[in-house]
Amino acid sequence: MMCQIYVSLVKFKFIPNTVPYIIVPFRWLRPGLLASYVTINTIKLIFLFNSRSSPIVTMEAFGKPVFKFICSRIKTFSKYEKNIEELREEIASLISKRTAIEEDVKLAKLEGNVPKPQVIYWLNKVSRAEDDVRPLLEMADEHTDGMASKMMQCLTVATKLNLVKELNSINFDSVARERSSPIKSVVEMAVPHLMGQEAASDLKQLLEILNTDGIRSIAVWGKGGIGKTTLVKNLNNELRISTTTSFDIVIWVEVSRSSDLSTIQLQIAKRIHLKVDADDTTNRIASRILQRLKLRRKILLILDDVWEKIDLDAVGIPSRDPGCKILLTTRSRDVCRHMAVDASFPLNLMSEEDSWNFFVHSAGPVLDSNNIESPARKIVAGFNGLPLAIKTLGNSMRDRPQIELWRNAHLMWRCSSSSLFKNIEKEIFGTLATSYYFLPSKILKQCFLFCSLYPAGFSIDVRELIQCWVSDGLIIENHTVEETFDYGLALIERLKDSCLLDQDSEGTVKMHDIFRDLAILLSQSQELLFGFHTQSGHQFYQMPNESSRRVSLTRCRIKKLPDFPIYSHLTVLFLQGNPLQKIPNEFFHSFISLRVLNLSDTQITSLPASFLCLCELRSLFLRNCPIEKLPSFKSCCKLLVLDLSGTHIKALPNGFGNLHSLRELNLSRTPFLNKIVVGNISGLTSLQTLDMSFSSYNWNPKTGADRKATFDELLTLEHLSVLKIRLDSVRCLESASLWLKELTRFDIQISPWSHDSNHHVAKQNEKRLVLRGVDLLQEDLRDLLHNTSSLVVLTCVGMTRRQLLSLSSLTSLTISNCNDITCLISMGRSSKEMFPNLQHLVLDHLQNLKFIVEGIIPRGVCLKNLTTIKVSDCPMLKGAVSYAMLRHAKKLEEIKVSGCKTMSCIIESGEHEASLPNLRVLEIGNMVKLRSISDGASVFPVLQYIKVLHCFGLKNLPLSISNSCSLKKIEGDAKWWNDLRWDADEDKNFFQQHFQAHPSENNNSRKRKYK
């Protein structure tokens, strides 16, 4: 319509045809005019009316969209001059940018690289834009005053300006793809070959775990310097040639203690050729890594030296995909837990033989020189199989043929005082100290340093260690002894998880010699802060500084104490293990702050008068001292722990009952103790642990002038939770059943005579009862047995089946030298309820035992929790596990049988299948008539260890290649192994790799464990 109106106006000569016109709504016009126009920014606005002043063109005719369109055109036209100037500047900048990029493209082509398609496309668009813009600028220069020309070009100018701006905003990090080699599935790493049979075995096992379906995350963990990285690097190289394990890509990431998320991502991005921009966020990088890795079918990500949990999702690892596996190395067991790995692979120290061979490899031909091997072996022995120390010192002694240097090295290494070892000290301890500095608290660090007070290779009693920590104030004393022990045990476990402490025998830990040297070095460098001074095990010791607070002179062969300076700050003094016979009377006068004193295993027979000055003493250890008489303890009112075990004391001193703070008292193995005055025990109102096992004290004294303490005094100790004691008869306990229930743990021996300790100590929270030489028919044991979880019956008579039925609370049962027992469980209605919670069963020297389980027992709870059975020297027993037992004992994990002269078969299943789905260990020995493990088909799917000694009649093993995937070791006599019969030669060849010959043993040298 606008066109028609415009034509009409021209036709009737209202306006010239050379001027642009725009029609506007009627409400802007003055009435009474046929036509009028207004000029706005050189634009004429034409208004049309009829003779009645009604608009020819109304708002309704054009509508709001048309009006908005008209207004936008007005605005565009008004900016024409400004857009032209801006277009000149932008096109000039774009042409300059194009020139630079064209030069980069040319250079890239010269270097053999191919320009990116998006760069070529951009260059083409720039050329077309330049061709389009040039005439617009020329026209603007030629028609500076041409209104119609500007009106016609204003929209085109604005459009081209936007295009040029858009092209100018595009940037390229690079104009061409760099030529790069294809991504290798495995990148070979420089690493020394593994040394020793154990290392080769570790590599083989690790490969097997890696190949196991269902295991997608594995942690190799162990001490610093033990060879974790070396093992995994060798595994990485092995994957290059392995035919059984094939990954599309193996990615190695060096994590280390200081690495963060972006550092890990950058290493992965580089490995998979993923370009990362400087302004990319970790989330964007993770998304791109995830997309790239998901294109791979099988991935192995190796994370070396992990110190804390890594969020694999945040990194961009598809860890939940079945084709993705994670292998990490760490020094911390906590990392294994927090990363929720499917399999942990602990790395052990090198064996003595492998250690020596590794040292020979490191030191080279110099060891062929005369007389060098002897001191060299002593040096290697001191490293206890730590590869880092062996390699470092071996390299340092390379090409040193002088025997004097080797003798000096053996002497000086322990104290690291020779300049020869300064660089070695830095290399070894600098690596290991990271584990110490990574401990999360000052308490843990001090607890670690405290362990260096004990000698090298020393088995540290866990409970004593915690007692020392509490007494020295390192850890806070909790409400109960057991709560404090639990807290201390948690700290020890944390140190073990960090590989700074090692598990020794049950209830003890030890510190590796190299880590002890590290602790000593750290404590010396921070002596002013922590005050540790240890000379344990050194014959030529140095006296501590006056500022020392914790001093150990353990096993320093001290016969006479030197003159100590004033040690007003000393809190811990260890003198145990010295041939010390006497302590000077004035010795303790200056030890006013002493809290822990250990004089165990010395030769002292008395304590000096100055002992009364130790008012701050919390723990006193006099274990195994020939001391006969104790001083008054009236000044030791803060004493918490007193250990008098193995001493020669005859009586507790008067006033002993005034130790109201005493929480733990050990009077075990006191064969001369015969006097405890009434009130000396009942006065110990805070006592929680009392150990009087194998003490000669009689708790059932006859009433007399001596007024000795009786068992009733123990019943008054409200806080007592742990009791170990020997009683002449069970009569003391007749009225104590409720009191026994309140005890957390007890170890009670009922024996008419004192006996040396030759049975196991009660475990944590175990209620153990030992009956020795007791006539069970004459004693009422029902209440006592109901409160017992572990029962040992030795040389007793009168055990009846009715009494066995009352043992429902038992988890452990040992019966030895009870010759009236012919059957433990026999067929009957009540038999199905017997031993519902029993886990461990030991039967020893039962001369008339014919059956453990006789007949078919109705299904019930009988033996349903049994996990281990040990049978020895039962000459009438024909089989250890009958079919009747098989039906119930499905949780059985260990079977150990020896010395049963007439036994021909271990598992008597008859025509039934002998299925033990949880059996892991099978040990048999000294049975000349044994012919088979099982008399029927057998299934042991998780069997790991078999040991056979002196059973030369046994010619077959229940093994086949198909069902022995869990088997790790077979140990036995070499002659027996060579005489075994196999279904096929390939079976013998397969199992040969698991066999280890056992040294011949004298059958007559075995000792009875129970007497």
Side-chain angles (χ1 to χ4, degrees):
M1 180 176 289
M2 287 181 63
C3 293
Q4 294 176 355
I5 293 169
Y6 183 82
V7 172
S8 299
L9 292 173
V10 172
K11 181 176 180 182
F12 291 102
K13 299 182 180 180
F14 279 94
I15 55 174
N17 61 357
T18 58
V19 179
Y21 295 90
I22 298 177
I23 310 302
V24 296
F26 70 89
R27 66 174 180 270
W28 290 5
L29 305 180
R30 290 174 292 172
L33 297 178
L34 293 177
S36 180
Y37 67 89
V38 180
T39 302
I40 303 175
N41 289 338
T42 71
I43 301 175
K44 290 184 174 63
L45 305 181
I46 304 302
F47 311 104
L48 305 179
F49 286 81
N50 57 22
S51 59
R52 301 174 190 171
S53 296
S54 299
I56 298 172
V57 182
T58 65
M59 183 68 174
E60 289 75 12
F62 287 94
K64 290 184 179 180
V66 176
F67 174 67
K68 291 182 180 180
F69 174 78
I70 293 171
C71 291
S72 68
R73 290 296 179 266
I74 296 173
K75 187 176 180 181
T76 301
F77 183 79
S78 68
K79 291 185 177 181
Y80 175 80
E81 298 293 343
K82 181 181 178 182
N83 287 348
I84 284 292
E85 292 305 317
E86 192 172 355
L87 183 59
R88 292 183 194 276
E89 295 174 1
E90 288 289 337
I91 195 65
S93 174
L94 183 61
I95 291 171
S96 175
K97 186 174 184 177
R98 180 190 65 183
T99 302
I101 289 179
E102 284 177 341
E103 290 179 358
D104 290 341
V105 169
K106 184 178 179 180
L107 182 61
K109 289 180 177 179
L110 290 175
E111 292 176 351
N113 297 320
V114 179
K116 295 179 178 178
Q118 57 266 41
V119 175
I120 301 300
Y121 179 72
W122 181 86
L123 289 172
N124 292 334
K125 286 191 72 173
V126 172
S127 296
R128 289 195 297 270
E130 184 184 11
D131 293 340
D132 294 338
V133 168
R134 189 185 300 112
L136 292 177
L137 296 179
E138 292 174 352
M139 187 179 297
D141 292 336
E142 292 174 359
H143 305 284
T144 55
D145 296 326
M147 182 64 66
S149 174
K150 293 179 181 179
M151 188 65 187
M152 298 301 294
Q153 299 298 329
C154 65
L155 183 59
T156 305
V157 170
T159 302
K160 295 302 178 184
L161 177 60
N162 290 335
L163 174 63
V164 173
K165 283 184 176 180
E166 181 184 351
L167 292 172
N168 246 334
S169 66
I170 297 175
N171 297 299
F172 301 100
D173 292 332
S174 61
V175 298
R177 292 193 182 94
E178 295 181 0
R179 280 189 172 180
S180 59
S181 57
I183 300 176
K184 296 180 179 179
S185 59
V186 181
V187 177
E188 186 174 9
M189 310 191 76
V191 61
H193 292 296
L194 295 174
M195 297 294 298
Q197 295 181 353
E198 292 182 2
S201 175
D202 288 339
L203 179 59
K204 180 181 177 182
Q205 290 182 48
L206 197 54
L207 280 169
E208 290 175 354
I209 296 173
L210 200 59
N211 284 327
T212 303
D213 294 335
I215 296 180
R216 293 191 295 186
S217 57
I218 309 161
V220 177
W221 74 281
K223 300 179 184 300
I226 202 171
K228 302 181 294 294
T229 300
T230 301
L231 173 65
V232 177
K233 280 185 175 180
N234 273 275
L235 179 137
N236 174 85
N237 294 347
E238 184 72 20
L239 293 176
R240 291 180 66 249
I241 58 176
S242 175
T243 57
T244 58
T245 304
S246 58
F247 290 95
D248 293 344
I249 187 169
V250 177
I251 304 172
W252 180 283
V253 177
E254 179 64 42
V255 181
S256 78
R257 182 183 174 188
S258 58
S259 294
D260 56 14
L261 185 63
S262 60
T263 305
I264 296 171
Q265 287 180 326
L266 289 175
Q267 292 185 65
I268 296 173
K270 182 179 179 181
R271 176 71 175 89
I272 61 178
H273 294 185
L274 178 66
K275 182 67 177 180
V276 176
D277 297 329
D279 57 347
D280 279 347
T281 64
T282 54
N283 288 338
R284 173 166 170 74
I285 297 173
S287 177
R288 295 176 63 196
I289 289 174
L290 183 63
Q291 291 175 3
R292 184 69 63 88
L293 291 181
K294 277 184 171 291
L295 299 175
R296 303 276 179 173
R297 186 176 59 87
K298 288 189 68 177
I299 306 164
L300 174 61
L301 175 65
I302 301 177
L303 302 168
D304 185 40
D305 199 18
V306 180
W307 287 86
E308 54 191 353
K309 181 183 178 181
I310 298 174
D311 188 343
L312 297 177
D313 292 333
V315 175
I317 306 301
S319 56
R320 297 178 184 84
D321 287 2
C324 180
K325 293 202 174 190
I326 312 296
L327 174 62
L328 61 91
T329 71
T330 181
R331 301 184 190 187
S332 172
R333 188 68 181 274
D334 275 348
V335 169
C336 304
R337 297 188 182 102
H338 294 156
M339 294 286 288
V341 297
D342 297 324
S344 292
F345 190 85
L347 211 54
N348 298 318
L349 296 164
M350 299 181 80
S351 66
E352 183 178 349
E353 180 181 358
D354 286 347
S355 296
W356 173 249
N357 292 334
F358 187 35
F359 186 79
V360 169
H361 176 79
S362 302
V366 68
L367 291 172
D368 295 333
S369 304
N370 291 334
N371 302 321
I372 285 183
E373 181 175 338
S374 178
R377 283 191 177 274
K378 293 178 181 177
I379 292 172
V380 175
F383 294 141
N384 288 335
L386 189 67
L388 175 64
I390 296 169
K391 177 184 177 181
T392 304
L393 190 59
N395 290 339
S396 72
M397 297 301 291
R398 201 176 184 91
D399 299 326
R400 296 180 185 269
Q402 300 95 329
I403 182 63
E404 294 82 4
L405 289 178
W406 286 86
R407 288 200 299 259
N408 181 63
H410 173 236
L411 179 65
M412 301 302 293
W413 168 247
R414 296 300 304 165
C415 57
S416 300
S417 61
S418 172
S419 60
L420 175 68
F421 297 122
K422 290 303 178 184
N423 62 322
I424 302 172
E425 179 182 285
K426 182 178 180 180
E427 183 173 350
I428 296 176
F429 293 150
T431 300
L432 303 184
T434 312
S435 298
Y436 167 80
Y437 290 118
F438 201 71
L439 290 174
S441 68
K442 181 180 176 181
I443 292 176
L444 272 170
K445 291 176 180 177
Q446 291 194 71
C447 288
F448 168 69
L449 297 180
F450 194 98
C451 295
S452 68
L453 296 176
Y454 294 91
F458 191 83
S459 291
I460 307 172
D461 183 82
V462 167
R463 186 166 289 275
E464 179 184 308
L465 180 62
I466 295 173
Q467 289 168 344
C468 290
W469 287 348
V470 173
S471 298
D472 192 30
L474 294 182
I475 62 177
I476 299 174
E477 179 183 349
N478 287 309
H479 180 65
T480 67
V481 170
E482 291 307 307
E483 289 173 351
T484 304
F485 177 79
D486 292 343
Y487 176 59
L489 192 62
L491 295 177
I492 289 174
E493 288 300 314
R494 187 62 182 266
L495 292 174
K496 286 163 60 179
D497 288 346
S498 300
C499 297
L500 294 172
L501 278 183
D502 297 325
Q503 182 65 46
D504 198 19
S505 57
E506 187 174 1
T508 64
V509 293
K510 64 180 179 181
M511 180 179 274
H512 190 281
D513 288 3
I514 299 297
F515 282 84
R516 180 176 177 273
D517 291 340
L518 168 67
I520 292 173
L521 186 69
L522 291 169
S523 61
Q524 289 173 347
S525 65
Q526 305 176 69
E527 185 165 0
L528 293 177
L529 179 63
F530 297 134
F532 287 97
H533 178 91
T534 181
Q535 293 287 312
S536 298
H538 291 285
Q539 182 177 1
F540 306 103
Y541 55 88
Q542 295 178 351
M543 292 298 292
N545 300 322
E546 292 185 13
S547 61
S548 297
R549 287 189 288 162
R550 301 169 177 108
V551 174
S552 176
L553 297 174
T554 304
R555 294 182 179 176
C556 288
R557 305 181 187 178
I558 300 174
K559 294 183 179 180
K560 182 179 179 181
L561 285 173
D563 293 331
F564 273 51
I566 296 176
Y567 288 128
S568 57
H569 301 291
L570 190 68
T571 61
V572 177
L573 178 59
F574 283 1
L575 291 170
Q576 64 263 39
N578 288 298
L580 185 65
Q581 297 183 356
K582 186 178 181 181
I583 300 176
N585 278 333
E586 309 298 321
F587 182 76
F588 292 120
H589 273 164
S590 63
F591 295 84
I592 56 176
S593 300
L594 193 67
R595 298 166 70 99
V596 179
L597 175 61
N598 197 329
L599 294 167
S600 300
D601 298 299
T602 61
Q603 300 301 313
I604 61 171
T605 57
S606 63
L607 292 172
S610 58
F611 175 78
L612 296 176
C613 297
L614 304 180
C615 298
E616 295 295 322
L617 196 64
R618 303 298 202 279
S619 287
L620 174 61
F621 301 95
L622 296 171
R623 184 174 52 252
N624 299 329
C625 292
I627 192 168
E628 298 180 357
K629 186 177 181 181
L630 296 173
S632 170
F633 284 91
K634 63 181 180 181
S635 62
C636 300
C637 57
K638 297 181 180 180
L639 198 63
L640 300 174
V641 178
L642 179 58
D643 188 348
L644 298 170
S645 62
T647 60
H648 294 178
I649 59 171
K650 299 178 180 178
L652 295 182
N654 291 331
F656 189 82
N658 294 324
L659 296 175
H660 299 309
S661 297
L662 191 67
R663 290 155 58 108
E664 299 180 70
L665 175 61
N666 192 340
L667 292 169
S668 65
R669 297 181 295 108
T670 48
F672 303 103
L673 180 63
N674 57 30
K675 183 178 181 181
I676 300 177
V677 177
V678 171
N680 271 357
I681 296 298
S682 59
L684 306 176
T685 54
S686 298
L687 195 65
Q688 298 180 37
T689 299
L690 175 61
D691 187 352
M692 293 196 67
S693 52
F694 310 105
S695 172
S696 64
Y697 185 75
N698 182 10
W699 287 97
N700 306 85
K702 296 179 181 179
T703 304
D706 290 338
R707 300 187 65 245
K708 293 182 180 180
T710 65
F711 186 80
D712 290 339
E713 283 203 30
L714 299 180
L715 303 181
T716 66
L717 299 175
E718 296 181 358
H719 300 290
L720 193 68
S721 61
V722 179
L723 175 65
K724 300 178 183 179
I725 196 171
R726 185 196 65 81
L727 302 172
D728 287 344
S729 72
V730 76
R731 292 185 181 90
C732 293
L733 300 171
E734 288 178 352
S735 61
S737 59
L738 293 177
W739 180 77
L740 284 173
K741 287 182 180 180
E742 298 300 320
L743 295 180
T744 304
R745 184 170 77 252
F746 63 70
D747 194 344
I748 299 175
Q749 272 211 65
I750 307 295
S751 174
W753 65 88
S754 179
H755 203 280
D756 293 336
S757 175
N758 67 348
H759 73 281
H760 299 295
V761 177
K763 298 178 181 179
Q764 189 74 3
N765 297 328
E766 185 177 53
K767 296 184 176 182
R768 181 183 180 89
L769 174 65
V770 180
L771 303 175
R772 187 189 303 271
V774 176
D775 187 348
L776 302 178
L777 293 176
Q778 301 299 319
E779 302 281 0
D780 187 0
L781 300 170
R782 286 174 296 178
D783 290 340
L784 183 57
L785 290 177
H786 277 302
N787 289 316
T788 300
S789 62
S790 177
L791 175 63
V792 180
V793 183
L794 309 175
T795 323
C796 294
V797 295
M799 177 172 283
T800 65
R801 184 171 174 276
R802 183 176 59 84
Q803 288 172 316
L804 292 176
L805 283 172
S806 65
L807 304 182
S808 59
S809 61
L810 284 187
T811 60
S812 176
L813 173 63
T814 297
I815 304 176
S816 178
N817 286 289
C818 298
N819 294 331
D820 55 349
I821 295 181
T822 59
C823 177
L824 187 65
I825 304 173
S826 60
M827 182 173 55
R829 180 178 299 177
S830 59
S831 298
K832 66 178 182 179
E833 307 296 332
M834 292 180 67
F835 305 119
N837 298 302
L838 191 66
Q839 299 175 20
H840 310 288
L841 176 63
V842 178
L843 303 173
D844 175 64
H845 283 86
L846 303 179
Q847 299 298 317
N848 297 310
L849 182 67
K850 295 181 179 180
F851 304 99
I852 298 176
V853 178
E854 182 183 14
I856 301 300
I857 300 173
R859 292 192 181 274
V861 294
C862 179
L863 299 178
K864 72 171 186 176
N865 289 302
L866 188 67
T867 58
T868 64
I869 179 171
K870 182 177 181 180
V871 182
S872 57
D873 297 298
C874 298
M876 303 292 289
L877 192 62
K878 301 295 183 181
V881 180
S882 65
Y883 174 66
M885 184 185 293
L886 274 177
R887 296 175 70 243
H888 297 268
K890 293 298 183 181
K891 294 182 180 180
L892 202 58
E893 296 179 7
E894 296 184 8
I895 298 176
K896 300 180 180 181
V897 186
S898 64
C900 298
K901 298 178 181 179
T902 62
M903 187 175 294
S904 60
C905 180
I906 302 296
I907 303 173
E908 298 178 312
S909 59
E911 59 185 18
H912 304 281
E913 182 181 74
S915 176
L916 290 173
N918 296 296
L919 186 66
R920 296 182 297 103
V921 176
L922 177 62
E923 294 185 15
I924 53 179
N926 300 295
M927 292 185 288
V928 295
K929 292 189 177 182
L930 187 67
R931 295 295 179 265
S932 64
I933 301 296
S934 173
D935 58 3
S938 55
V939 178
F940 312 133
V942 297
L943 186 61
Q944 298 177 7
Y945 176 66
I946 299 176
K947 183 177 181 180
V948 180
L949 294 178
H950 307 300
C951 299
F952 296 104
L954 180 64
K955 300 299 182 182
N956 301 92
L957 289 178
L959 298 176
S960 65
I961 296 177
S962 60
N963 66 7
S964 301
C965 57
S966 299
L967 189 66
K968 295 180 179 179
K969 186 178 180 180
I970 303 174
E971 187 176 358
D973 306 287
K975 183 180 183 304
W976 163 79
W977 176 259
N978 292 329
D979 291 342
L980 280 178
R981 303 188 188 104
W982 302 90
D983 294 337
D985 290 340
E986 63 179 8
D987 291 345
K988 181 175 183 179
N989 294 334
F990 175 81
F991 291 109
Q992 182 70 48
Q993 63 182 327
H994 299 290
F995 177 71
Q996 179 178 326
H998 189 278
S1000 179
E1001 296 181 356
N1002 184 355
N1003 192 35
N1004 296 323
S1005 65
R1006 293 183 299 110
K1007 297 181 179 180
R1008 290 187 178 184
K1009 186 173 182 180
Y1010 303 99
K1011 296 181 180 179

